[in-house]
């Protein structure tokens, strides 16, 4: 039965003109067909630019809300000790959010690809190149970023970052830096969609049964979620 879910070994696909740009929408509409072509012709530059642009656009639209949330946090208020916030500090926080957030997005993709390489090549005894995995992760990440842009208007309308289509709404009263809120935020519709699509891509890259591709996706991307929750828990202790 397992073989019925396997990605069939495919011949080397001829290079398709404009594949890197077609992937920006085919990852939503026909991921299996797209990743089959991508396997022997991985693309990195265009999707990296695309996710960087999408993340910067999201941060540009929400930077005021992010800075406001940071300044209202108990940790920040404790550091200020009741003093007024200098305009220079607020400006610096805005630039830090825009630049740091965009760079963090690239680091997240590279980390996800690194975890996939470890689990796929060593634990699952498969064979894939790092470039192939970075390519899959980049295109998969577009789904999560588009999700963020779709809910951004609601954030702006409500004047808060505490807008989500994840289970985190159940812990909204505890604040965005609470361990429970961060953990539940991983049960997000677009993040789950991304994990499924990345699983399809990994199953094709590694020529694994589809269910093992999903498992590999959960392991690689799940490690990022676990690290996020752990760092949040550690940060709450200080």
């Amino acid at each position: 039965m397992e073989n019925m879910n396997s990605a069939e070994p495919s011949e080397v696909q001829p290079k398709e003109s404009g594949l890197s740009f077609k992937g920006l929408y085919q990852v939503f509409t026909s991921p299996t067909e797209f990743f089959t072509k991508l396997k022997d012709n991985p693309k990195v530059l265009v999707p990296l630019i695309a996710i960087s642009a999408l993340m910067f656009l999201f941060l540009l639209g929400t930077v005021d809300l992010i800075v406001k949330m940071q300044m209202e946090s108990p940790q920040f208020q404790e550091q200020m000790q009741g003093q007024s916030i200098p305009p220079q500090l607020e400006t610096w926080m805005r630039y830090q959010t825009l630049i740091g957030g965009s760079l963090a997005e690239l680091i997240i993709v590279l980390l996800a690809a690194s975890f996939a390489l470890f689990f796929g090549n060593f634990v699952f005894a498969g064979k894939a190149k790092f470039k192939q995995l970075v390519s899959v992760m980049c295109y998969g990440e577009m789904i999560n970023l588009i999700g963020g842009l779709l809910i951004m208007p609601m954030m702006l309308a409500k004047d808060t970052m505490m807008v989500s289509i994840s289970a985190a709404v159940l812990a909204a009263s505890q604040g965005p830096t609470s361990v429970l809120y961060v953990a539940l935020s991983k049960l997000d519709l677009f993040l789950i969609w991304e994990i499924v699509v990345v699983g399809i891509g990994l199953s094709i890259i590694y020529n694994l049964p589809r269910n093992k591709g999903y498992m590999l996706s959960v392991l690689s991307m799940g490690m990022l979620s676990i690290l996020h929750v752990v760092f949040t828990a550690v940060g709450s202790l200080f």
Side-chain angles (χ1 to χ4, degrees):
M1 292 296 293
E2 184 178 69
N3 291 334
M4 294 178 63
N5 298 323
S6 302
E8 294 294 330
S10 58
E11 298 180 357
V12 176
Q13 297 290 320
K15 291 187 177 182
E16 181 175 333
S17 177
L19 181 63
S20 56
F21 292 98
K22 292 178 182 177
L24 299 180
Y25 63 87
Q26 287 183 349
V27 70
F28 294 91
T29 60
S30 51
T32 300
E33 178 184 350
F34 169 63
F35 285 128
T36 300
K37 298 174 183 177
L38 193 74
K39 179 176 181 178
D40 298 309
N41 191 17
K43 304 297 182 180
V44 172
L45 181 60
V46 169
L48 275 178
I49 293 175
I51 63 174
S52 298
L54 289 173
M55 181 52 122
F56 185 80
L57 183 61
F58 175 79
L59 292 172
L60 191 64
T62 60
V63 63
D64 290 335
L65 300 180
I66 295 173
V67 171
K68 175 186 174 184
M69 183 177 65
Q70 291 173 342
M71 293 190 299
E72 291 177 349
S73 68
Q75 298 87 344
F76 185 85
Q77 293 296 325
E78 184 178 350
Q79 291 177 356
M80 294 304 298
Q81 297 180 343
Q83 300 179 12
S84 59
I85 302 174
Q88 297 87 344
L89 176 59
E90 187 173 347
T91 300
W92 179 82
M93 291 174 68
R94 289 173 58 87
Y95 282 113
Q96 182 189 47
T97 298
L98 290 171
I99 299 174
S102 299
L103 291 176
E105 178 63 25
L106 299 180
I107 294 173
I108 286 172
V109 168
L110 294 177
L111 280 176
S114 298
F115 285 129
L117 183 70
F118 170 76
F119 288 111
N121 284 28
F122 298 101
V123 178
F124 284 72
K127 183 181 292 185
K129 296 180 180 179
F130 188 62
K131 183 178 180 180
Q132 291 175 306
L133 301 177
V134 171
S135 186
V136 170
M137 294 300 175
C138 283
Y139 281 105
E141 181 64 6
M142 287 197 55
I143 295 172
N144 197 32
L145 291 173
I146 291 296
L149 289 174
L150 289 177
I151 66 172
M152 184 172 68
M154 290 186 286
M155 293 178 177
L156 297 176
K158 294 186 176 182
D159 195 33
T160 177
M161 292 294 294
M162 302 295 289
V163 176
S164 176
I165 54 174
S166 70
V169 296
L170 301 175
S173 61
Q174 298 191 24
T177 58
S178 72
V179 176
L180 183 58
Y181 182 90
V182 172
L184 291 177
S185 69
K186 306 308 174 184
L187 300 176
D188 177 89
L189 176 63
F190 285 96
L191 182 56
I192 293 172
W193 185 2
E194 177 184 359
I195 290 174
V196 170
V197 168
V198 168
I200 294 172
L202 294 178
S203 70
I204 292 171
I205 296 297
Y206 280 106
N207 193 31
L208 290 170
R210 188 60 55 81
N211 59 340
K212 289 189 176 181
Y214 294 145
M215 185 185 304
L216 181 55
S217 178
V218 170
L219 286 172
S220 55
M221 300 186 67
M223 285 300 297
L224 295 178
S225 297
I226 292 172
L227 289 174
H228 189 191
V229 174
V230 169
F231 288 144
T232 301
V234 173
S236 65
L237 299 176
F238 298 96

